[in-house]
């Protein structure tokens, strides 16, 4: 089975919505789905079959309200600090399921909206 990393990015049109990708600007990473271990990030045990991790930028103020400080990075279906970027406001969930799926979807929406707002401010269209 091949492993892949997918990056969810907010796209906004520079002027008019166009079918050409070159006419759009990628404004920042809001979330990431990771399906394998990296040399500096083995704690989630993503090389085991069927495991993946959703990483979401929620901001430094919000992250402490979401994470379970008692959980380890390998625990499934629980919010933890991102193993490398937790201090920058990123949280992670290994194999989101019943306990976290609704919150994951809500946080993904919020992260996307925050990325769009940043792009708008940077481009002067706010």
């Amino acid at each position: 089975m091949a492993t892949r990393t997918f990056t969810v990015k907010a796209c906004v049109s520079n002027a008019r919505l166009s079918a050409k990708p070159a006419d759009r600007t990628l404004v920042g990473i809001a979330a990431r789905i990771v399906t394998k271990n990296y040399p500096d990030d083995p704690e989630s045990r993503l090389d085991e079959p069927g495991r993946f991790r959703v990483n979401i930028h929620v901001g430094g103020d919000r992250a402490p309200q979401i994470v379970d400080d008692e959980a380890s990075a390998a625990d499934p279906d629980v919010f933890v600090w991102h193993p490398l970027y937790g201090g920058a406001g990123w949280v992670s969930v290994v194999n989101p399921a019943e306990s976290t799926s609704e919150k994951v979807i809500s946080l993904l929406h919020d992260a996307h909206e925050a990325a769009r707002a940043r792009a708008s401010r940077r481009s002067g269209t706010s």
Side-chain angles (χ1 to χ4, degrees):
M1 174 172 68
T3 56
R4 298 182 185 156
T5 299
F6 302 93
T7 302
V8 179
K9 295 186 177 187
C11 293
V12 293
S13 174
N14 285 336
R16 288 179 228 170
L17 188 58
S18 169
K20 296 180 183 178
D23 292 342
R24 296 185 183 178
T25 303
L26 296 174
V27 297
I29 299 172
R32 180 170 248 193
I33 299 171
V34 183
T35 60
K36 67 177 184 176
N37 285 341
Y38 287 92
D40 57 347
D41 181 18
E43 293 139 5
S44 299
R45 301 190 334 245
L46 300 178
D47 285 344
E48 295 177 14
R51 291 178 65 91
F52 67 97
R53 185 178 73 211
V54 178
N55 303 324
I56 309 168
H57 183 256
V58 298
D61 294 337
R62 197 170 183 192
Q65 302 165 7
I66 297 169
V67 299
D68 178 351
D69 286 323
E70 302 297 317
S72 79
D75 290 343
D77 199 27
V78 62
F79 286 98
V80 296
W81 294 100
H82 184 281
L84 300 176
Y85 304 112
W90 284 79
V91 298
S92 298
V93 181
V94 172
N95 292 13
E98 188 175 321
S99 296
T100 59
S101 61
E102 286 185 32
K103 187 71 169 177
V104 165
I105 291 168
S106 174
L107 291 173
L108 287 170
H109 174 76
D110 293 350
H112 179 254
E113 289 302 314
R116 288 179 58 146
R118 282 191 303 274
S120 181
R121 283 192 307 273
R122 290 176 183 158
S123 70
T125 60
S126 56

